[in-house]
Amino acid sequence: MKRTALITGSTSGIGLAIAQTLAAKGYNIAFNGLEANGEAIAKQTAETYGIDYLFSPCNVLDPEQITAFVNQTLERFGAIDVLVNNAGIQHVSPVQDFPLEKWNQIIGINLTAPFLFTKAVWPSMKKQTFGRIINIASAHGLVASEYKSAYVASKHGIIGFTKTTALEGAPYNITVNAVCPGYVHTPIVENQIADQMQAHQLSREEVIQKVMLAKQAIKSFIPIELIANSVAFLAADETTTITGIALPVEGGWTAQ
Ligand code: NAD
């Protein structure tokens, strides 16, 4: 059976790696992202793996655009079997200076958007008694770091939401799980390296080793394929009775 996956923020970084991994397994993909070349990235990925696709530049801060994107995907493919809530942003600032606008944006993209997507796909998943929802949280969904108040709050929140919807989905064969990556070398992290170099007056290598990877027991970036494969495992038809978990893929960060 050909399955369809809708993946937010899938024209960059982790989302794109997830799209490539699911495409290699034959899933149709509904791509999304704000990258200017998003359509080209989606088209190229679909051609590489010989799958059907659509691309939406939907801004996940806009509830109407989310509804339209979900409806467009349902009309095109007849189902959304897998939803991956991956789009996310970060902002680093001491709490006393944290701009309200940034707080609202982070909560909106990292937490409210997954709620809206889940709500929008829920009736069709319930009707077909099949659904796999995977929320990309973070090690910061399990533990905190200073200066990341909004991000840490949003990622802790998404784990709570994952557990609640896992309970509600259980009677309908809808599983809901979170994946909690450590540091993966993507544009979101590249931007943080620049910010932290400035904030701590450190070199690039010092920021990577002393600030970022300091918290991981294994001192290397998490391979992006490992995150994508974890999502593919949780998305599989056979993964029937794992639900409500927050899977750490973080080099032993939260073991300490
Ligand atoms: P990224 O910046 O490479 O990709 C983020 C994607 O989200 C992009 O496609 C971007 O266009 C999209 N996006 C952002 N705002 C959007 C909006 N308003 N509407 C639609 N799309 C929007 O980042 P990434 O590292 O691949 O991060 C992906 C997810 O993984 C995020 O939720 C992030 O918090 C999480 N994460 C990343 C790391 C890491 O180390 N990279 C670690 C833990 C968790």
Side-chain angles (χ1 to χ4, degrees):
M1 182 184 205
K2 204 158 174 72
R3 295 285 191 195
T4 297
L6 185 157
I7 310 165
T8 66
S10 46
T11 49
S12 174
I14 291 172
L16 179 55
I18 295 167
Q20 289 165 336
T21 299
L22 293 183
K25 292 179 183 296
Y27 287 75
N28 303 317
I29 308 284
F31 287 87
N32 158 252
L34 298 184
E35 283 63 35
N37 58 345
E39 170 72 53
I41 292 169
K43 184 167 188 271
Q44 193 195 15
T45 308
E47 279 172 7
T48 302
Y49 296 100
I51 55 138
D52 289 333
Y53 82 103
L54 66 78
F55 167 73
S56 166
C58 155
N59 186 332
V60 305
L61 281 169
D62 181 345
E64 284 178 14
Q65 289 186 41
I66 290 177
T67 309
F69 178 28
V70 166
N71 287 341
Q72 183 193 2
T73 308
L74 286 172
E75 276 161 32
R76 173 71 191 279
F77 297 113
I80 295 171
D81 304 295
V82 177
L83 166 66
V84 184
N85 286 307
N86 165 77
I89 60 161
Q90 171 66 283
H91 183 76
V92 180
S93 164
V95 69
Q96 69 180 27
D97 303 326
F98 212 98
L100 173 62
E101 190 192 332
K102 276 284 168 203
W103 172 278
N104 285 338
Q105 208 183 1
I106 290 175
I107 300 298
I109 294 172
N110 297 8
L111 184 57
T112 308
F115 156 65
L116 292 169
F117 273 101
T118 300
K119 193 174 167 182
V121 302
W122 202 261
S124 66
M125 284 186 172
K126 204 169 146 181
K127 194 166 170 212
Q128 68 178 10
T129 54
F130 181 87
R132 298 281 181 266
I133 300 178
I134 296 112
N135 296 318
I136 305 303
S138 168
H140 281 127
L142 301 166
V143 293
S145 294
E146 62 272 56
Y147 311 133
K148 296 185 176 177
S149 53
Y151 187 84
V152 169
S154 72
K155 296 300 189 180
H156 275 68
I158 193 70
I159 291 177
F161 182 66
T162 298
K163 291 177 184 172
T164 307
T165 45
L167 299 181
E168 292 185 29
Y172 309 104
N173 191 23
I174 301 171
T175 65
V176 190
N177 293 292
V179 173
C180 301
Y183 279 103
V184 185
H185 202 175
T186 66
I188 210 177
V189 164
E190 196 50 47
N191 294 338
Q192 280 181 71
I193 294 173
D195 289 350
Q196 301 269 16
M197 280 169 70
Q198 210 171 16
H200 300 281
Q201 292 297 305
L202 293 174
S203 72
R204 184 184 167 75
E205 209 37 46
E206 283 171 328
V207 166
I208 292 173
Q209 289 301 329
K210 292 186 183 163
V211 180
M212 294 190 157
L213 301 182
K215 297 201 169 175
Q216 292 184 197
I218 299 171
K219 305 286 179 199
S220 55
F221 283 114
I222 311 297
I224 201 163
E225 300 77 19
L226 189 52
I227 307 299
N229 286 329
S230 304
V231 172
F233 167 67
L234 293 169
D237 283 26
E238 305 76 49
T239 310
T240 49
T241 47
I242 297 179
T243 198
I245 69 161
L247 177 68
V249 189
E250 35 60 300
W253 180 334
T254 62
Q256 301 168 63

